[in-house]
Amino acid sequence: MKIFRGFHHPGIANACALTIGNFDGVHRGHQAMLALLNSEAAHRGVESCVLTFEPHPRDYFAGAHHKPELAPARIGTLRDKLTELARCGVQQTVVLPFDARLAAQSPDAFIDEVLVRGLGARYVLVGDDFRFGRQRAGDYAMLDAAGQAKGFDVARMNSYEVHGLRVSSSAVRQALAAGDMEAAARLLGRPYTISGHVVHGRKLGRELGATAAGAGDGFRTLNLRFAHWKPAASGIFAVLVHGLATEPLPGVANLGVRPSLDPNDVNGGRVLLETHCLHWPADLGPGGAYGKIVRVELLHKLHDELKYDGLDALTKGIAKDCADARAYFASAQAPNHTETRRQTTRDRI
């Protein structure tokens, strides 16, 4: 999949079948829309294209009005969104910066400058609640009329339902906020996943719980930065880690701000996904994971983040979390997630 920041670049398709949206989570409703988009693109002999925005428009307006509570919780990082769009067969994605200029652009100007001249849209597919332009003044009827006048087709896709429930990013956020990872997986069509480069941290974990054999063999963690300050999920989870060994590695992870640690440490103030693999691959050595891209599936929430009184209490808390994660993987629940992944693969075939 080709990825462009804006549309003034060589190599961008001259004509495309286009859909527009934030695509946070790339859930099953998004996947159905993208399948239709790819079909229409192939029928017309043009590339399929997604136009998405960064930051999320609601993030922009929350900042502009100094009301952080208006910002939506973020399901996935930009990396994960682009990865899922590529897996859905999209040929080209344009990431458009959402800024003051775009927020002030009239619907007519958006159609002319972005859809027609910028992207060469021949077909535009939107959701049933699609709005665009300054103050969300543009709607499907306006877009359809413009398409007839300017030579592109417009289609609207109704909401997608699973067992009578409308699949939406809001529904995924609600499931993640409640810690219902199975419900989130049903809506997403896959386990909830966060990926990224392993970055350096304070290296405190490897000292916590270290044995008498020597320091550094305690609760070593893989640190992934979650770029947004407001993740849709938070807490302690039983996880599977992909990318370090042939088979996924079971582990326990903390997604959040680590309230028991010094806020002035190397990653102070950042949202991190800190993952401890229950079985560390010996061939990696103590620092062999830094810089690698790993993918972490959050399968089961153990509890919310806790603030411990001192490092001894934190060590005992982590040891209990590891024991609970081992119990989870040993229980009858873990195979259900394997079957979910198999079913997801069958659904995509």
Side-chain angles (χ1 to χ4, degrees), residues 8 48 60 64 90 102 109 114 125-126 152 161 165 168 176 179 181 193 220 228 250 287-288 330 343 349:
H8 299 293
S48 59
Y60 168 79
V90 174
L102 190 60
V114 179
L125 175 65
V126 297
F152 60 87
E161 294 186 357
L165 175 65
S168 66
L176 293 175
M181 308 312 288
T193 302
R220 180 188 293 112
H228 197 265
Q343 182 62 48
I349 293 174

Side-chain angles (χ1 to χ4, degrees), residues 302-318:
L302 299 175
H303 58 80
D304 290 332
E305 280 194 293
L306 300 174
K307 182 173 176 59
Y308 294 99
D309 295 326
L311 294 182
D312 286 344
L314 175 61
T315 301
K316 291 177 182 178
I318 296 174

Side-chain angles (χ1 to χ4, degrees), residues 127-169:
D128 55 2
D129 57 353
F130 179 70
R131 309 284 298 201
F132 66 101
R134 184 175 56 242
Q135 297 183 337
R136 292 170 52 86
D139 58 11
Y140 175 79
M142 179 184 293
L143 185 63
D144 188 42
Q148 294 182 49
K150 299 176 185 297
F152 60 87
D153 296 327
V154 179
R156 176 169 54 187
M157 187 169 179
N158 292 328
S159 60
Y160 186 89
E161 294 186 357
V162 174
H163 301 304
L165 175 65
R166 182 178 184 272
V167 179
S168 66
S169 295

Side-chain angles (χ1 to χ4, degrees), residues 6 45 94 104 113 136 158-159 164 171 247 273 297 322 324 326 336:
V94 174
E113 295 177 21
R136 292 170 52 86
N158 292 328
S159 60
E247 296 294 325
L273 177 64
E297 292 182 2
C322 290
D324 291 344
R326 289 189 177 93
N336 290 339

